[in-house]
Amino acid sequence: MERSSDAAQTRSGGNRRSRFDRFVEHAELRVSQAPFFFLCVVIVVAWFISLPWWTDLKTWQVAIHTVASVFTLLLVVLLENAGRRASEASQEKLNVIAEALAAMLDSSAFDDPELRTAARRLRQAVGLEERH
C-alpha cells in the first residue's frame, strides 16, 4: 500500500522534519502555554497606556488593529499547519491499527467464515487494499 501522507512518510523514513515543521511545533507549544497569554495582555496594556503619546486617537487604534491582524494571521497559519499534522498523525496511527487488525483476522480466518467476512468488511471500511 502506498503511503502518501506526511505522517506515513515520517514513520517510514525516520524523523526528517523540515525546519518549518520544527518551527511550527515549537510555536504551537509556546502559544498554547500561559506565558504567551500574559505576554499578549502586557502588550495590550502597554498599548492602552501609550494613548497620551499619540496625537490622533484613530492612529492609535489603527496601530493596535494592524499589529493584531498581522499577528493573528501568522498564528492562524501556524496553528492550522500544526492541526493538520496532528490530524494526519492520528489518521496514520488508525490506519496502522486497522492494518494489524485486518492481518490478525486474516491469519485466524482460515476456518471461520465470519472472521473472513469481518476482515473483508474492515478492509472495505478503512480502504485497505487486498494483498495477493
Side-chain angles (χ1 to χ4, degrees):
M1 183 164 79
E2 181 180 313
R3 300 192 188 286
S4 59
S5 72
D6 291 340
Q9 292 172 359
T10 299
R11 184 173 58 82
S12 64
N15 190 4
R16 291 186 232 150
R17 293 176 300 156
S18 69
R19 285 184 181 176
F20 178 73
D21 287 340
R22 288 191 301 269
F23 172 74
V24 168
E25 186 176 304
H26 184 72
E28 179 188 29
L29 176 67
R30 295 295 175 233
V31 168
S32 65
Q33 295 176 344
F36 180 77
F37 173 77
F38 292 119
L39 174 66
C40 290
V41 169
V42 166
I43 290 170
V44 170
V45 168
W47 167 76
F48 188 72
I49 292 172
S50 74
L51 177 59
W53 296 318
W54 293 83
T55 57
D56 182 20
L57 182 61
K58 188 173 183 170
T59 307
W60 178 69
Q61 291 173 338
V62 168
I64 191 67
H65 290 296
T66 303
V67 170
S69 295
V70 170
F71 192 66
T72 300
L73 178 65
L74 292 174
L75 283 179
V76 166
V77 170
L78 289 175
L79 295 178
E80 282 298 317
N81 183 279
R84 179 193 53 81
R85 289 178 38 245
S87 178
E88 284 180 1
S90 294
Q91 186 60 49
E92 179 60 19
K93 290 172 186 176
L94 290 173
N95 288 345
V96 170
I97 290 169
E99 287 176 7
L101 182 58
M104 286 177 19
L105 287 173
D106 283 342
S107 70
S108 302
F110 186 70
D111 295 327
D112 190 349
E114 287 182 28
L115 281 179
R116 279 195 300 267
T117 303
R120 183 177 43 73
R121 289 182 64 207
L122 174 67
R123 288 185 180 283
Q124 289 173 347
V126 297
L128 295 175
E129 63 184 19
E130 291 291 329
R131 293 190 173 100
H132 299 284

